[in-house]
Amino acid sequence: MKIGICDSGLGGLIIAQAIQKYMPNYDYIYLGDTLNLPYGQRSQKVIYDLTLNMIQFLFSKDCKLVILACNTACAIALRKIQQEYLPKHYPDRNVLGVIDPMLEEVQESAFKKISVIGTEGLTRTNIYGERLAETLNIKIGTYATPLLVPLLENDGLFLIPEAIQHYNQQFNLAANEGLILGCTHYAHLKRALKESFPELHLFSQDEIIPKKLCDYLNRHSNYKEAISQNGTMEFYVSDYTSRYQRAANELCGRTVLLRETLL
Ligand code: DGL
């Protein structure tokens, strides 16, 4: 069996690469729902349905464990999938999100003045704000930065510094000690953010998820032992484009076979 990793697009691919680099022996399947990207502006019902489609596809491909590498989908759909869908349909498989590991990392840090940026879907739930208020007793601002994903998905990297300045004027991000990148796509923005805010500590999921997943596997031998170890990764998208092929090649540092699948 394999480890599945999914997102609406490029963001999850960054996480998938970081995971494979950290644990190269396992077999992985990556799925990007490029047909339905971006998820961030969609309704909760649509995000739930799209998320479930991705998970069902990965289970049909023999994944024992799925990493839902999309903050928006985690905030809106993960709890229901874990509490209602899995016990009924796949009691011996699991879906893990990217928000809880990020929260643990923030809790372990000494930073108190933190803000979160993410999609509109994520900020509507205020999941980071509520959970950090409960556990650390700190108040954090959660801000929607919806221009960033479309820019990243459409070769607009050169416009990112302007977009960052625009959001900084609106939300005063630089006035904090830390910034949570509450969207897996934003791992791609680390360099631009560092240049704009050299003093800010960035919490980015590509640096957090691989070690947390490794810990999870070490604590759950039934999962660890079920996953085959041939060092492979297969790639699927729900809408194949040459741009996505280019992005996948760039991120993987080699030409990858990107397959199209209907979800
Ligand atoms: N990468 C996704 C996330 O972490 C969102 C991108 C999208 O809007 O589809 O929230």
Side-chain angles (χ1 to χ4, degrees):
M1 297 183 90
K2 297 175 181 168
I3 297 177
I5 303 167
C6 59
D7 179 34
S8 54
L10 201 60
L13 198 49
I14 304 171
I15 306 291
Q17 281 307 294
I19 291 174
Q20 197 190 27
K21 204 167 159 204
Y22 198 80
M23 293 182 289
N25 293 341
Y26 291 120
D27 292 325
Y28 301 93
I29 301 188
Y30 181 74
L31 170 66
D33 187 10
T34 48
L35 180 65
N36 295 302
L37 172 95
Y39 280 15
Q41 275 104 310
R42 295 182 183 277
S43 69
Q44 299 214 348
K45 177 180 180 324
V46 169
I47 292 171
Y48 179 81
D49 291 346
L50 294 173
T51 305
L52 195 57
N53 280 346
M54 290 197 292
I55 287 165
Q56 284 170 336
F57 171 80
L58 289 169
F59 282 165
S60 78
K61 290 276 172 201
D62 205 29
C63 289
K64 173 81 176 165
L65 184 65
V66 171
I67 310 302
L68 187 53
C70 174
N71 289 260
T72 312
C74 289
I76 288 163
L78 183 59
R79 185 166 289 185
K80 192 167 168 201
I81 286 170
Q82 286 174 334
Q83 292 179 352
E84 293 173 25
Y85 180 77
L86 291 179
K88 198 161 163 203
H89 300 277
Y90 291 97
D92 57 347
R93 304 197 198 186
N94 205 358
V95 180
L96 301 175
V98 289
I99 293 181
D100 284 345
M102 178 72 111
L103 287 165
E104 285 166 22
E105 189 82 3
V106 175
Q107 283 154 15
E108 284 158 17
S109 81
F111 299 110
K112 297 280 178 215
K113 281 183 75 186
I114 300 169
S115 56
V116 185
I117 51 173
T119 65
E120 280 170 0
L122 179 91
T123 52
R124 272 200 305 267
T125 69
N126 192 26
I127 187 165
Y128 281 102
E130 279 172 15
R131 302 277 290 279
L132 288 170
E134 272 164 29
T135 50
L136 279 190
N137 202 17
I138 56 172
K139 279 207 179 116
I140 62 163
T142 303
Y143 305 111
T145 49
L147 291 174
L148 300 179
V149 169
L151 282 176
L152 284 171
E153 288 282 346
N154 292 288
D155 291 331
L157 209 54
F158 67 103
L159 290 170
I160 289 289
E162 282 172 58
I164 290 173
Q165 284 318 324
H166 163 74
Y167 288 126
N168 189 38
Q169 274 164 15
Q170 242 181 309
F171 307 131
N172 205 7
L173 303 171
N176 294 287
E177 298 165 320
L179 182 64
I180 295 176
L181 309 187
C183 172
T184 48
H185 278 70
Y186 299 173
H188 221 62
L189 299 179
K190 279 192 292 185
R191 192 192 297 169
L193 286 164
K194 265 281 157 225
E195 278 167 16
S196 301
F197 311 124
E199 309 286 313
L200 268 190
H201 178 84
L202 302 179
F203 292 94
S204 182
Q205 281 156 338
D206 62 317
E207 293 166 22
I208 297 168
I209 302 305
K211 59 181 183 200
K212 297 284 186 188
L213 176 58
C214 183
D215 289 350
Y216 177 89
L217 291 170
N218 287 337
R219 282 183 283 109
H220 296 84
S221 55
N222 54 330
Y223 280 87
K224 189 173 176 164
E225 281 155 21
I227 297 161
S228 53
Q229 300 202 29
N230 302 300
T232 64
M233 187 176 290
E234 290 169 52
F235 298 87
Y236 290 88
V237 284
S238 51
D239 183 25
Y240 178 91
T241 63
S242 56
R243 210 199 53 73
Y244 204 72
Q245 177 72 62
R246 251 195 346 267
N249 294 348
E250 263 169 43
L251 275 168
C252 301
R254 64 191 164 90
T255 305
V256 299
L257 176 62
L258 203 54
R259 296 186 173 98
E260 190 174 61
T261 180
L262 282 179
L263 286 181

